[in-house]
Every structure is written in C-alpha cells, then in structure tokens.
Amino acid sequence: MEAGPVLLPVETGIANGAKSNELLISCARAITLKLANQREAAAPHSPVLIQGAEPFTLASAGPIADPALDLHAPMKGPFLARAIDWQTEAEAALELARLAGILPAFMVGPVDAGEAQPVAASDLGEWADTSRLTIATRAKLPVTASDDAQIIAFRSADDTREHVALIIGEQNSDKTPLVRLHSECLTGDILGSLKCDCGPQLDAALAAMADETSKDSWGVLLYMRQEGRGIGLVNKMRAYRLQDQGFDTVDANQRLGLPDEARDFGTAARMLELLGVGEVRLMTNNLRKVTALENAGVKITERVPHELPANPHNARYLATKRDRSGHLLK
C-alpha cells in the first residue's frame, strides 16, 4: 500500500513460509476475538492491528481470519492491539479485500512472502467512479414473463463485473417505469435456494413489470453483479455456514469481519442515467435503496412494496432484514 507496509492477504494459499509479527483485521472481527475492548469507540469495520505472542504464519493466522476455523484451532494469544500510523492505507486494504471477495485479514510486513505488487489507496477511486460505466451492447430477449423485452449490458474498463438491465415493454418517456434493483444471487436466482427470497422476488418483479405493459407502461430490472450484498459468493457461503451454527445474517457477516450491507447502488443510478431514465417507481422494501438513488439524483415518484410469503427456511432471514436491516413490511 502507498506509504504503508507490505501486506499479504491471509487467504492466499501461497507463500506458506511467510511469517509476520502483526496482522491487520477489521474491528468487527476483533470484536469476535474479544479484542475490541482494547480500542476506544472503534467503528465496526475500521482496521485493527494486532500483535501476537509469537510470529504469525499463514497456518496460525487462518483461524484469526476465518470464523469457520477459530473454534477448531487454538489461537496462540495473548494478542495486543496496536496503533496504526497508516490508517488510510489500512482502510483501503480492507475495502480491496471485500471487493476481491476474500477475508479482510492481512499479514503485515511479512518475510519470505515473495515479490510485492504496488497498490495505492487512491486506486479505490477507480472503483467508485461510476462515470466510467458504459453501455456495451443491447439485444431483444424474450423471457418467460414477457416476450417484449430487451437486455442491455453495461461494462466499465476498471471492473470485470458486467451488470445488465432488462427492459420489459416499450420504453416510453411519458410513463414513469416500474424499476427493481436486484442483486445477483446464484443460490436463489439459479439454484432455487429456500434460505432467501431472492428467486421469488426476481420472478415477481418481472411479472409485475409485464403487467405494466397492459397499462401502456413499462419496467426496468437492473441486475447487479454484487453477490452476497457485496461480499462475494465465497464469503456468502462462509456466512451460510455460520448461519447453520445459529447466527443470523447480520451476525454471520460481522463474525467474518465484513459489512452486512456493502452493495453499490451508485452504479444502479448510473445505469438508469445511461438508459435515459430520470424518475422511477421503485419496487423495494429497502429504504437504503431509496436514499442511495435519491442522493444520486434519481427522482422516486413512488415506492412500491415488494414482499413475498416466508417459508420455514427463510422466516428468520426475513425477520432479520426487517428487525436489524430496516426493511419495511409494506
């Protein structure tokens, strides 16, 4: 990192001979390890620098980084939280780990770790710059909900994730479209998982947009490539494993040292801008989406509730969204 030490992600699977006297983790993970009392007024996802009684190896750092291991492998404490004089770089490192879909844990200044790759904290700005997102191509795509549909693909030179929009019906500037922001969910959208409501939400949204065409209106589905609310597929699977142990979705993410909500709704606003859509009827129960789009300049004329019945496998998940994440019932 720029002006900071060399950092080696614990989740690398390489440089097995690497050793380090310090680890960088998130405060959320430090809370799990009972280290948060050594830091006053720490924010949940601020970086924490810890030093162990013995040098860390990748093997000994693994249980500190991964909650799937911490109950099965003894951790050689005690650990001491130390001050960080490269705070900006430390924060950037944790955010880059999230974007890469790996655990936010790094060996600091490791020896025998191989050649370092320069990365600057300012590199994060490239990810946040939604103006670089452009329309790559578009085509007609008849779907089950409606045979009058068009798919538009979006791409940025700085991001390998390719987002898409599905327009149902004929785009009409005289009508405010029904819009749904749907974040990618492999398990729910493709495999039919009962642990969440993503698949049924997607189907219901497309059906509602198809119904708009009978009213001489139209709809837009924005399909965002941000699996697991922005933490990535592998980390979502790790959170599922913690849920199997009894943790809810919020606590599972925090035990991983990750945010419970890390999606980028600014990209959705940019997609709407490229489509020429300035105002929407937004189908959501999540007020964060409403606020994010409004802050990005999108006018929301109506919030359309989007609730589906629970099943025995996702009832707790839906209750957690309501009680801890602020989602509305209607």
Side-chain angles (χ1 to χ4, degrees):
M1 304 299 295
E2 185 179 56
V6 172
L7 301 179
L8 176 68
V10 171
E11 190 183 350
T12 60
I14 59 174
N16 289 325
K19 291 185 178 181
S20 172
N21 292 322
E22 297 174 323
L23 286 184
L24 181 71
I25 59 176
S26 76
C27 187
R29 185 68 184 136
I31 290 172
T32 299
L33 300 175
K34 310 300 182 185
L35 295 173
N37 62 335
Q38 298 184 52
R39 287 174 56 86
E40 296 182 359
H45 301 290
S46 62
V48 175
L49 185 66
I50 64 171
Q51 181 177 350
E54 300 178 7
F56 297 106
T57 64
L58 284 177
S60 63
I64 298 173
D66 189 347
L69 303 176
D70 60 13
L71 297 179
H72 305 289
M75 290 181 281
K76 297 182 179 180
F79 302 118
L80 174 67
R82 303 183 63 85
I84 302 176
D85 57 9
W86 36 280
Q87 184 76 14
T88 299
E89 287 72 31
E91 292 173 354
L94 296 188
E95 180 64 5
L96 287 170
R98 182 192 67 78
L99 290 170
I102 62 175
L103 293 169
F106 294 85
M107 299 176 74
V108 180
V111 296
D112 298 328
E115 184 178 354
Q117 174 66 41
V119 179
S122 58
D123 291 343
L124 280 174
E126 300 294 334
W127 290 81
D129 184 6
T130 59
S131 67
R132 302 178 73 113
L133 188 74
T134 60
I135 292 177
T137 190
R138 64 177 72 206
K140 291 181 179 180
L141 183 70
V143 295
T144 302
S146 172
D147 59 7
D148 184 13
Q150 180 183 183
I151 190 167
I152 298 97
F154 300 80
R155 177 185 289 162
S156 173
D158 305 305
D159 191 344
T160 58
R161 297 172 298 175
E162 296 165 329
H163 308 289
V164 298
L166 188 70
I167 295 181
I168 302 291
E170 185 174 350
Q171 188 164 347
N172 182 352
S173 60
D174 294 331
K175 296 283 187 176
T176 301
L178 180 65
V179 172
R180 169 71 181 167
L181 275 59
H182 188 90
S183 296
E184 176 184 39
C185 178
L186 172 70
T187 50
D189 299 342
I190 306 300
L191 302 179
S193 168
L194 298 176
K195 287 177 67 70
C196 63
D197 57 346
C198 299
Q201 277 191 334
L202 177 59
D203 293 339
L206 291 174
M209 291 174 191
D211 186 57
E212 290 293 303
T213 63
S214 66
K215 307 170 187 175
D216 195 29
S217 190
W218 56 299
V220 182
L221 175 82
L222 301 181
Y223 196 84
M224 314 292 297
R225 301 294 301 278
Q226 38 193 11
E227 181 78 56
R229 294 185 185 169
I231 66 172
L233 179 61
V234 172
N235 281 333
K236 186 175 86 166
M237 298 300 97
R238 290 183 169 121
Y240 275 4
R241 180 171 180 172
L242 291 171
Q243 290 169 34
D244 290 341
Q245 298 173 17
F247 297 99
D248 67 22
T249 53
V250 173
D251 287 336
N253 281 31
Q254 290 180 350
R255 286 187 69 85
L256 288 166
L258 292 163
D260 60 281
E261 175 60 89
R263 288 176 289 182
D264 173 20
F265 298 127
T267 296
R270 171 61 176 167
M271 293 168 70
L272 291 172
E273 177 187 1
L274 291 170
L275 293 173
V277 177
E279 61 179 51
V280 304
R281 296 163 52 228
L282 188 63
M283 178 178 281
T284 186
N285 295 332
N286 185 351
L287 291 181
R288 293 183 185 179
K289 291 182 180 180
V290 175
T291 301
L293 288 187
E294 288 180 334
N295 289 342
V298 178
K299 181 179 179 181
I300 297 176
T301 62
E302 179 186 5
R303 185 189 67 82
V304 180
H306 192 42
E307 182 186 11
L308 295 166
N311 67 59
H313 301 278
N314 71 9
R316 187 186 183 195
Y317 164 80
L318 296 178
T320 300
K321 287 207 296 185
R322 178 195 66 214
D323 299 337
R324 302 194 66 184
S325 300
H327 288 219
L328 303 176
L329 290 178
K330 294 181 179 180

